[in-house]
């Protein structure tokens, strides 16, 4: 294996959504816990106890309800505002351990240790794990290796293999070569970062069954059979870094805001409220990324799982003369889209918007014949900035446009939603003497 002047660490939350719920409700510890998808549909996160019962990812709630009840378990509605805030807190702790830091997902973060040659990185991983748990309550696993792919494999060992699970840290540098071969041989090729089940099936046909088999494969041959991504994976498995650390998130190519409704909708006004809300959320994400949209696509959908119902899945695109990040303008365009594609003969299950043709807010081209002046745009930008700040500080939807409605009876069903312990004043924990 190649010797690198730096090492990567992947810090990953254990059963992250479930762990977030357990931080504020210790009675959930040791019980089979499942977090459900939108409208309490199916399992999107499971505790170790739920996995031990054989509950698979994506299992419909109605199929596992009795099993959970039988074993003292519980299914909780997804509380994405809480999970996002807990992720922010966890990432802020992790970032203290290296200036080179990439937030890979809501519960995963890469660190690159450059110039740490004389440090005991295993001890460093233990400190990261201890501090994240102490400061946020979230248990994490830490995998350390000379490439991001190897750090991913090490993290899998740290979280799942009996030799490392107790400590929660696996540093491949600590292992003898023959020991690494044994662990990689026991690991299915499907578990290698970037492979997945479809490629794994093809690799199995070629006699490549384990991570070790893939490591020993010829990268040029597999590049011809697959693509450059798999070639890079093989080189990374052999210690050659090919996947860079992305310290700044890449600009988004599009932004989608969509949800299924808690009930089937037939009233056009309900659909307009929902689409206005989705457009407002997308606009906030747009401004947070410093971007503006050149157009907005609006789509509606009936329930495909009700084949006896008439089906209708329309969409329409509204282009702007100049890119915009103004919520009012985006909502106005979205409502025009609803008016264009709505038909009263259908029962709608889902709606959404997609912002397209995104550009930097500082480089967007103006309109030669536009009537809005630069000072007006600046004032509008400050107003929207206040709106965003208040909604971040006081909770999403604290201030919203009238078009979004007030009752919002169409909102998705969340019958077992826990409080917003860190995102809602009403959800704050109360200490009683």
């Amino acid at each position: 294996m190649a010797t690198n002047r730096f090492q990567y660490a992947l810090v990953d939350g254990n059963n992250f959504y479930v762990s977030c719920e357990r931080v504020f409700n210790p009675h959930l510890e040791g019980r089979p816990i499942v977090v459900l998808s939108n409208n309490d549909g199916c399992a999107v996160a499971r505790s170790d106890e739920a996995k031990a019962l054989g509950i698979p990812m994506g299992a419909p709630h109605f199929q596992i309800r009795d099993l959970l009840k039988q074993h003292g378990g519980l299914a909780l509605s997804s509380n994405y505002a809480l999970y996002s805030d807990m992720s922010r807190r966890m990432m802020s702790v992790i970032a203290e351990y290296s200036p080179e830091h990439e937030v890979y997902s809501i519960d995963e973060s890469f660190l690159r240790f450059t110039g740490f040659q004389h440090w005991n990185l295993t001890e460093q991983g233990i400190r990261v794990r201890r501090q994240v748990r102490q400061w946020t309550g979230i248990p994490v696993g830490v995998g350390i290796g000379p490439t991001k792919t190897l750090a991913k494999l090490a993290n899998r060992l740290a979280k799942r293999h009996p030799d490392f699970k107790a400590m929660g840290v696996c540093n491949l540098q600590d292992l003898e070569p023959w020991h690494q071969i044994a662990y990689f041989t026991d690991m299915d090729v499907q578990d290698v970062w970037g492979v997945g089940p479809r490629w794994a099936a093809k690799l199995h046909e070629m006699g490549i069954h384990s991570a070790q088999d893939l490591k020993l494969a010829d990268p040029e041959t597999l590049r011809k059979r697959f693509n450059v991504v798999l070639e890079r994976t093989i080189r990374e498995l052999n210690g050659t870094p090919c996947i860079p650390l992305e310290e700044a998130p890449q600009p988004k190519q599009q932004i989608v805001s969509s949800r299924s409704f808690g009930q089937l909708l037939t009233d056009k006004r309900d659909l307009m409220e929902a689409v206005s809300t989705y457009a407002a959320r997308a606009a906030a994400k747009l401004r947070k990324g410093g971007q503006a949209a050149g157009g907005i696509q609006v789509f509606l959908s009936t329930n495909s799982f009700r084949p006896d119902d008439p089906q209708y899945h329309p969409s329409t695109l509204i282009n702007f003369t100049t890119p915009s990040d103004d919520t009012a303008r985006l909502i106005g365009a979205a409502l025009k889209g609803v008016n264009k594609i709505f038909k009263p003969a259908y029962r709608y299950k889902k709606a959404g918007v997609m912002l397209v043709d995104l550009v930097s807010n500082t480089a967007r081209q103006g309109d030669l014949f536009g009537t809005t002046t630069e000072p007006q745009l600046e004032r509008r930008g400050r107003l929207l900035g206040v709106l965003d700040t208040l909604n971040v500080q006081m909770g999403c939807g604290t201030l919203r446009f009238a078009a979004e409605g007030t009752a919002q009876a169409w909102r998705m069903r969340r019958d077992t939603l826990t409080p917003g312990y860190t995102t809602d004043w009403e959800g704050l924990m109360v200490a009683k003497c």
Side-chain angles (χ1 to χ4, degrees):
M1 183 177 292
T3 301
N4 297 333
R5 60 184 179 84
F6 47 74
Q7 293 286 315
Y8 290 91
L10 176 66
V11 186
D12 182 15
N14 299 346
N15 308 321
F16 182 69
Y17 291 175
V18 173
S19 295
C20 289
E21 299 285 357
R22 284 175 165 172
V23 168
F24 300 96
N25 187 353
H27 295 294
L28 300 179
E29 291 287 348
R31 299 170 60 188
I33 304 298
V34 166
V35 175
L36 301 172
S37 63
N38 295 340
N39 289 306
D40 294 345
C42 58
V44 294
R46 303 156 297 156
S47 67
D48 288 340
E49 296 81 4
K51 295 174 185 177
L53 293 178
I55 297 176
M57 183 69 80
H61 181 211
F62 73 90
Q63 291 182 358
I64 61 176
R65 185 187 296 116
D66 293 341
L67 180 63
L68 286 170
K69 184 177 181 180
Q70 179 183 349
H71 292 273
L74 193 63
L76 301 174
S77 301
S78 50
N79 191 339
Y80 294 120
L82 172 65
Y83 308 151
S84 177
D85 187 65
M86 293 299 289
S87 171
R88 178 187 61 79
R89 294 165 186 250
M90 184 176 85
M91 297 307 174
S92 67
V93 176
I94 295 170
E96 294 184 0
Y97 283 84
S98 174
E100 299 176 281
H101 174 226
E102 174 191 343
V103 177
Y104 180 66
S105 70
I106 191 170
D107 62 342
E108 293 179 280
S109 181
F110 282 105
L111 297 173
R112 185 165 65 187
F113 296 114
T114 305
F116 286 65
Q117 290 90 337
H118 302 294
W119 288 56
N120 185 325
L121 293 184
T122 302
E123 290 295 329
Q124 190 80 336
I126 292 172
R127 282 193 289 270
V128 171
R129 190 168 184 264
R130 184 188 303 124
Q131 187 172 350
V132 171
R133 184 63 183 265
Q134 182 179 3
W135 287 19
T136 70
I138 302 295
V140 299
V142 182
I144 302 170
T147 68
K148 291 172 75 173
T149 300
L150 287 169
K152 268 273 196 179
L153 288 184
N155 182 274
R156 185 177 182 86
L157 292 171
K159 294 174 67 173
R160 302 191 183 194
H161 199 284
D163 292 350
F164 304 97
K165 194 171 182 179
M167 183 169 63
V169 178
C170 174
N171 183 357
L172 296 182
Q173 285 184 307
D174 295 341
L175 305 180
E176 296 293 337
W178 64 269
H179 219 167
Q180 283 194 30
I181 292 172
Y183 288 126
F184 288 5
T185 301
D186 288 340
M187 192 177 298
D188 193 284
V189 70
Q190 180 177 320
D191 297 327
V192 176
W193 186 33
V195 173
R198 183 177 299 179
W199 278 7
K202 295 181 179 179
L203 289 168
H204 286 167
E205 293 174 359
M206 300 171 60
I208 299 174
H209 300 280
S210 68
Q212 182 65 19
D213 292 337
L214 185 61
K215 178 182 176 181
L216 297 176
D218 179 54
E220 296 292 341
T221 300
L222 290 190
R223 175 176 180 169
K224 295 174 182 176
R225 292 286 299 271
F226 294 86
N227 60 26
V228 69
V229 175
L230 194 57
E231 179 197 10
R232 290 172 181 166
T233 299
I234 296 170
R235 297 192 186 282
E236 287 242 331
L237 286 173
N238 286 278
T240 301
C242 300
I243 305 173
L245 193 75
E246 297 180 2
E247 297 180 63
Q250 295 296 313
K252 293 184 178 181
Q253 303 299 311
Q254 60 189 29
I255 293 175
V256 178
S257 181
S258 174
R259 287 287 187 276
S260 295
F261 306 130
Q263 56 188 325
L264 296 176
L265 300 183
T266 57
D267 193 321
K268 183 178 178 181
R269 290 172 297 181
D270 289 336
L271 285 170
M272 296 180 84
E273 279 190 6
V275 168
S276 297
T277 300
Y278 301 149
R281 292 175 182 171
K285 294 178 183 178
L286 192 67
R287 290 190 292 272
K288 184 177 180 180
Q291 294 179 294
I296 182 170
Q297 183 177 9
V298 183
F299 54 91
L300 308 174
S301 180
T302 54
N303 192 345
S304 299
F305 294 99
R306 289 176 174 256
D308 294 336
D309 286 358
Q311 297 297 312
Y312 182 48
H313 308 279
S315 67
T316 186
L317 177 64
I318 292 90
N319 291 307
F320 303 137
T321 53
T322 57
S324 177
D325 64 356
D326 192 319
T327 301
R329 188 177 178 188
L330 295 175
I331 288 178
L335 294 179
K336 289 181 181 178
V338 174
N339 281 321
K340 185 176 180 180
I341 61 179
F342 173 79
K343 290 184 179 181
Y346 298 94
R347 299 198 298 169
Y348 297 94
K349 178 61 177 176
K350 186 176 183 179
V353 302
M354 178 189 298
L355 304 184
V356 297
D357 298 333
L358 306 190
V359 298
S360 171
N361 213 353
T362 59
R364 54 180 169 174
Q365 186 174 353
D367 184 1
L368 180 62
F369 302 103
T371 58
T372 305
T373 64
E374 193 65 30
Q376 288 175 318
L377 287 174
E378 291 180 3
R379 286 197 297 272
R380 188 68 180 174
R382 290 196 295 271
L383 175 63
L384 293 169
V386 171
L387 173 73
D388 293 338
T389 299
L390 287 174
N391 281 332
V392 168
Q393 292 179 348
M394 307 299 292
C396 180
T398 300
L399 286 181
R400 57 178 181 259
F401 283 72
E404 299 178 59
T406 53
Q408 297 188 337
W410 45 267
R411 293 177 70 91
M412 66 180 179
R413 185 175 69 253
R414 293 195 284 183
D415 295 334
T416 55
L417 180 66
T418 51
Y421 298 106
T422 67
T423 60
D424 183 358
W425 288 107
E426 300 298 323
L428 288 177
M429 301 290 286
V430 176
K432 296 182 179 180
C433 300

